[in-house]
Amino acid sequence: MNSRDPPSKILLLIITYLPPSFPLTNDYLFETFKQYGEIKKILIFERGKTNKAFIEYYDIKHAIQARRDMMGKSITIQGGRLLIHFSRLKQLNLEVVDHTRGTQYQPHEVETQVQPEKQVQNLQNAPILIEEEIKPPLIDLTQVIKLEAADVSHTSEESPTKAIMETQLKQLERILDEDYANEVARSNLTQFDEQQQVINELLAQKPSKYLKVQNIDERVTAKMLYNIFNRFGHLNALLFQKKDNAAILQFTNVDHATISKELLNNIMFFSREIRILFHQIDNLEASNPNEEYYFGSQTKFKIVPLSKVIVFSGIYDLLDIQDMVKLVGKIQEIKLEQNCIQITMVDIYEALKVISVLSEYEYKGNKINLTLK
């Protein structure tokens, strides 16, 4: 099963990096994928390090849209990266894998005859559950085959239905095994290509007074970037490429750029690990509306190593300082010194956040001065 497989109403979901404790259910997948169209059936048929499931839509265009939009995304903030393929199955037969959890849905506008004890309220606002989710835990498909074979051995004549089920199970297993092997190979090749690209970029680097900063968090602004990097080297200006989550920084000389790169490369900054490379460019100027040229204050600070201890001066109201810092980062300890306030953050990453936001910040007419200790 690969990218050349033709579009199908049935999607094969391969879910990786999902915590074992996460309660993955048919209903959870239904709520996630129903935005793209009416769902007919859902079947989770493998759990473990890699989870696999089928989703069958009533309309093929909805399956195409779901695959296009959800490919590569995570189904939860805890993980669960999605690899989605069009399935080779012609139809999703839940009876073939009756030992696994399969659920069949029906569009809300279609009336369905159900037994009185299974009638569902609010039919106009929710899909009708035709086949209830089976509660026993999932078992391997090979075990289903063994159980089927064992049942056959106790009968004098093999059931045609069971023979068909065994054949379909074997076909399903062969398709899934082939798909999984191809996906692993493709994933390994992709990871190798990405690693090789990074290595080539590192080997090709030449020292420069320009730095390229990548993987910047969406919450970070040009001013925040300037406040951080100007603390660890004299920064002239920067070109903020917000759309690409990147920026090009211009320092006064190569030495300051090198120091800043050594101190801040691969540092976690607002939930993202920033990556810094030397950048070869003649001059710094914005070339399109998505780029922001930021000049900054040009204040030259004494370059010091990273620290989680910040010293505030210019404002001596302990409660005011505490309230402002709490809005940005997590505080470990506060000390009121003779001419300043010393705040220890829980780690250097929290300290960097405070510096980026509050550096040279004006409060009640006074400029807040802060330094790392």
Side-chain angles (χ1 to χ4, degrees), residues 256-321:
H256 283 213
T258 303
I259 293 171
S260 185
K261 178 178 180 295
E262 290 298 320
L263 289 174
L264 297 176
N265 191 25
N266 298 322
I267 280 288
M268 189 66 68
F269 186 46
F270 279 93
S271 303
R272 281 199 179 185
E273 190 176 279
I274 58 175
R275 181 165 167 251
I276 307 173
L277 297 170
F278 286 117
H279 191 65
Q280 308 301 322
I281 191 175
D282 294 330
N283 53 61
L284 198 66
E285 58 182 18
S287 59
N288 62 70
N290 294 320
E291 296 180 338
E292 177 186 354
Y293 182 85
Y294 189 81
F295 190 69
S297 65
Q298 301 301 303
T299 303
K300 290 181 169 55
F301 297 98
K302 179 182 178 181
I303 301 174
V304 297
L306 291 170
S307 171
K308 65 178 183 178
V309 181
I310 307 174
V311 178
F312 289 80
S313 58
I315 179 172
Y316 305 102
D317 190 322
L318 183 62
L319 293 179
D320 285 351
I321 286 288

Side-chain angles (χ1 to χ4, degrees), residues 312 315-327 331 334-337 340-343 358 363-364 368:
F312 289 80
I315 179 172
Y316 305 102
D317 190 322
L318 183 62
L319 293 179
D320 285 351
I321 286 288
Q322 176 180 290
D323 290 341
M324 283 191 296
V325 174
K326 276 185 176 180
L327 292 174
I331 298 174
I334 300 179
K335 289 184 180 179
L336 181 60
E337 304 290 346
C340 63
I341 297 173
Q342 180 175 297
I343 298 182
L358 298 180
Y363 180 73
K364 294 182 178 180
I368 298 177

Side-chain angles (χ1 to χ4, degrees), residues 135-157:
K135 298 303 181 182
L138 293 175
I139 65 174
D140 189 85
L141 290 176
T142 56
Q143 299 300 320
V144 178
I145 295 176
K146 292 178 181 178
L147 290 173
E148 296 282 353
D151 290 340
V152 170
S153 65
H154 290 297
T155 61
S156 58
E157 185 176 350

Side-chain angles (χ1 to χ4, degrees), residues 102-195:
T103 305
Q104 181 171 334
Y105 301 91
Q106 189 165 318
H108 62 269
E109 66 269 17
V110 179
E111 294 184 359
T112 305
Q113 296 295 329
V114 295
Q115 298 177 3
E117 61 272 15
K118 291 187 178 180
Q119 287 183 349
V120 183
Q121 296 180 349
N122 299 325
L123 293 178
Q124 296 180 348
N125 299 320
I128 299 175
L129 187 63
I130 302 300
E131 182 176 347
E132 293 184 350
E133 189 174 40
I134 301 173
K135 298 303 181 182
L138 293 175
I139 65 174
D140 189 85
L141 290 176
T142 56
Q143 299 300 320
V144 178
I145 295 176
K146 292 178 181 178
L147 290 173
E148 296 282 353
D151 290 340
V152 170
S153 65
H154 290 297
T155 61
S156 58
E157 185 176 350
E158 186 181 50
S159 168
T161 302
K162 288 187 176 181
I164 294 173
M165 290 173 66
E166 286 187 18
T167 302
Q168 291 178 334
L169 279 170
K170 290 177 181 178
Q171 291 176 348
L172 177 60
E173 279 190 299
R174 184 169 62 253
I175 291 173
L176 297 178
D177 288 342
E178 178 186 343
D179 173 75
Y180 184 72
N182 291 339
E183 193 56 50
V184 170
R186 189 182 299 109
S187 177
N188 290 339
L189 181 61
T190 301
Q191 291 178 7
F192 176 79
D193 290 343
E194 290 177 351
Q195 292 171 358

